[in-house]
Amino acid sequence: MASFGWKRKIGEKVSKATSQQFEAQAADDKDLVDDDDANWVHATKRRKEILLEDCIKKSKQLKDEGASLAENRRYREALHKWDEALQLTPEDATLYEMKSQVLMSLHEMFPAVHAAEMAVQRNPRSWDAWQTLGRAQLGLGEIALAIRSFQVSLHIFPMNPEVWKEDLSWARKLHEQQKATKTEAVQALAKEKELAQESIPDYDFESDEIVAVCAAIAEKEKALSAAKTVVIVSASGTVETVTEKENSPTTPDETLFIRAR
């Protein structure tokens, strides 16, 4: 009869050296996998950096080409170049600011304001973007908004003489003229209302003069109604006008005359 003993564990017969060899190979495989992952992430990141650098480089080239075209007054072509550049670098505030200037030269004020607003959104610290926005707003007649934009531009760059002496000064002058025009219009309207009220006389229909006039008109109408005029045409064609009084009519023989009123 066989004696009873504990069951051996699985793998217990594998030698210690073989086990260590397996563990070493597994560690090497893990290192290779980690290296491959790191290399893949690095390569992807590098490709993105290269692509971004290429986009920035191409965008700068298109920006410069557009600026050259704008200097030669080829505004539509310049806008086309800058739109292509914005496809590559949509956060470039300078492109929007340049677009706004060219659109103002084309007298397209609504798109000019929109482009300048995009520039300010992308770079709120750009004093020239605020200046361009103020000029575009002036083109739309938004004088108060333009003054605010120029003030922001000066807050960012206080030593800019162009904004002080030209833009802000001109905007304030226009604002004063606008206020004066509004005041004159209000005064003219008030004067018209006053004249309209004065042109309607305030009659006193119970005055003695009015009563006397009405009585005289009534007496005249009464006298006219008391005397009636009759036109009589004879059979031979003779026309005669006869005034007959209310109580004593003088009517000729109706066999000889035809009465016509």
Side-chain angles (χ1 to χ4, degrees):
M1 184 175 177
S3 60
F4 176 80
W6 291 103
K7 293 181 180 180
R8 295 180 178 270
K9 295 181 180 180
I10 297 176
E12 190 175 346
K13 293 182 179 180
V14 180
S15 64
K16 186 176 181 181
T18 303
S19 177
Q20 291 175 350
Q21 183 178 0
F22 286 158
E23 292 175 356
Q25 289 178 354
D28 293 339
D29 292 341
K30 183 179 180 181
D31 292 338
L32 290 174
V33 171
D34 292 340
D35 291 341
D36 290 340
D37 290 341
N39 291 335
W40 180 82
V41 171
H42 179 73
T44 303
K45 184 178 179 181
R46 181 56 184 162
R47 280 196 297 270
K48 289 182 178 179
E49 291 175 353
I50 294 173
L51 180 61
L52 180 60
E53 290 173 359
D54 291 341
C55 288
I56 294 174
K57 183 177 179 180
K58 180 63 176 177
S59 176
K60 186 179 183 305
Q61 180 183 349
L62 291 169
K63 182 193 293 185
D64 294 340
E65 292 176 1
S68 179
L69 291 168
E71 289 176 358
N72 293 320
R73 299 181 181 276
R74 296 165 64 180
Y75 297 132
R76 295 295 179 187
E77 297 176 61
L79 289 173
H80 181 68
K81 293 290 185 182
W82 291 335
D83 285 336
E84 289 184 7
L86 283 170
Q87 295 295 323
L88 300 172
T89 54
E91 298 301 317
D92 191 341
T94 306
L95 287 169
Y96 284 106
E97 191 269 333
M98 294 166 71
K99 276 190 65 176
S100 180
Q101 291 189 52
V102 168
L103 288 168
M104 280 190 283
S105 299
L106 293 171
H107 304 288
E108 298 182 9
M109 305 314 298
F110 280 105
V113 170
H114 177 68
E117 287 175 345
M118 297 291 284
V120 167
Q121 289 176 8
R122 279 153 178 75
N123 187 6
R125 301 295 301 170
S126 174
W127 65 266
D128 49 352
W130 282 103
Q131 181 188 27
T132 301
L133 176 59
R135 290 179 175 180
Q137 289 168 335
L138 271 185
L140 279 182
E142 298 290 346
I143 301 175
L145 293 177
I147 290 175
R148 178 185 177 278
S149 297
F150 293 141
Q151 288 173 342
V152 174
S153 178
L154 284 172
H155 179 74
I156 298 170
F157 183 25
M159 303 305 295
N160 188 346
E162 184 180 21
V163 179
W164 270 115
K165 297 179 181 179
E166 297 180 14
D167 296 313
L168 188 58
S169 176
W170 174 245
R172 284 176 173 170
K173 184 178 180 180
L174 291 177
H175 189 57
E176 293 298 326
Q177 292 177 354
Q178 187 183 54
K179 289 197 300 184
T181 302
K182 288 182 178 179
T183 302
E184 291 176 359
V186 171
Q187 291 175 351
L189 183 61
K191 188 175 181 179
E192 288 179 2
K193 290 182 178 180
E194 184 179 353
L195 290 175
Q197 293 176 354
E198 291 177 356
S199 63
I200 303 176
D202 186 12
Y203 291 110
D204 183 5
F205 292 99
E206 296 182 357
S207 64
D208 296 338
E209 291 83 359
I210 297 297
V211 172
V213 170
C214 291
I217 293 174
E219 289 295 331
K220 185 176 180 181
E221 291 292 333
K222 184 176 180 182
L224 290 175
S225 62
K228 297 181 180 179
T229 302
V230 178
V231 178
I232 300 174
V233 182
S234 66
S236 61
T238 304
V239 179
E240 183 179 358
T241 302
V242 178
T243 302
E244 57 180 23
K245 295 187 178 179
E246 191 170 351
N247 296 326
S248 57
T250 58
T251 306
D253 189 357
E254 292 184 358
T255 59
L256 301 175
F257 297 92
I258 301 171
R259 179 179 294 183
R261 292 186 181 276

